[in-house]
Amino acid sequence: MNRKNQISLVLGLALACTGAHAQRYAPNGGPLAENVSFGFADVLRVDPIYRQVRQARPREECFDEQVTRVEPGGGDPTGGTVVGALVGGALGNTVGRGDGRRAATIAGAVIGGAVGRNVDRNNGGPPREYSDVETRCRVVEEVAQRRELVGYDVEYRYRGDVFMSRLDYDPGSRLRVRIGITPAR
């Protein structure tokens, strides 16, 4: 055996004796858990844990409201049209002679009626008020609260000792526990 092989053999035996390379690995690639076993504990108490969740949602709210409307004065212009036509016809009748008088009377009545209607519409009568119903809508925030389950506080006994853990499921009357032993310093 040559000198190089002798040194490799001595180093290999030295490492084997010290256990430095003796760590074994589980099939998933992690260290093999030799000091772990499983057992069952009796469940003493299970308390569900909730949290409050607030959720705001917009909602449209509509209602009918009584309103008063005002229409400007003038209202019905019929009276002003009739008075204007009579005055215009009378004035036209005084202007002409013969057949021209008839045409002047008709023209005066038409022009007087138009003028009287506009005067009555713009200046005539008091404003008219009336009530009406109008639908109005607005958006309001509706806040809803609900309870959401977040886990369970579980109290259990294993070999006379009582333990407490928060779990994300209700274990029932028995709880499977992992027991591991590791050296302490």
Side-chain angles (χ1 to χ4, degrees):
M1 202 185 258
N2 68 17
R3 181 112 173 118
K4 188 175 179 183
N5 287 342
Q6 286 175 348
I7 293 174
S8 295
L9 181 62
V10 169
L11 283 176
L13 287 173
L15 284 174
C17 290
T18 62
H21 77 294
Q23 187 168 5
R24 297 177 15 206
Y25 291 92
N28 66 2
L32 186 63
E34 292 179 16
N35 296 329
V36 173
S37 64
F38 295 92
F40 286 93
D42 293 324
V43 174
L44 303 175
R45 192 179 75 209
V46 177
D47 295 325
I49 305 300
Y50 296 96
R51 71 175 174 180
Q52 291 285 52
V53 178
R54 294 173 52 100
Q55 194 171 28
R57 286 182 281 188
R59 177 178 57 88
E60 186 176 53
E61 185 178 84
C62 296
F63 56 94
D64 291 336
E65 184 176 27
Q66 189 87 14
V67 293
T68 301
R69 300 203 186 275
V70 178
E71 191 174 90
D76 184 14
T78 305
T81 303
V82 171
V83 171
L86 290 174
V87 171
L91 286 175
N93 190 29
T94 61
V95 173
R97 292 198 180 139
D99 286 339
R101 181 179 283 180
R102 187 178 295 163
T105 302
I106 293 172
V110 170
I111 292 170
V115 169
R117 188 183 74 148
N118 286 339
V119 167
D120 193 24
R121 182 179 283 168
N122 292 334
N123 298 329
R128 185 173 82 104
E129 288 187 11
Y130 61 96
S131 293
D132 198 6
V133 175
E134 191 172 283
T135 301
R136 299 183 190 258
C137 295
R138 64 181 176 200
V139 176
V140 294
E141 289 273 322
E142 186 175 81
V143 177
Q145 285 191 351
R146 63 182 171 86
R147 287 187 346 162
E148 184 177 89
L149 182 65
V150 294
Y152 299 89
D153 280 345
V154 179
E155 185 177 2
Y156 54 96
R157 182 186 342 252
Y158 181 74
R159 291 192 176 178
D161 291 326
V162 176
F163 300 93
M164 182 76 129
S165 294
R166 181 163 289 181
L167 304 175
D168 59 354
Y169 63 95
D170 184 344
S173 62
R174 293 186 52 134
L175 176 65
R176 186 171 183 231
V177 292
R178 179 178 182 262
I179 300 112
I181 298 173
T182 56
R185 288 188 181 220

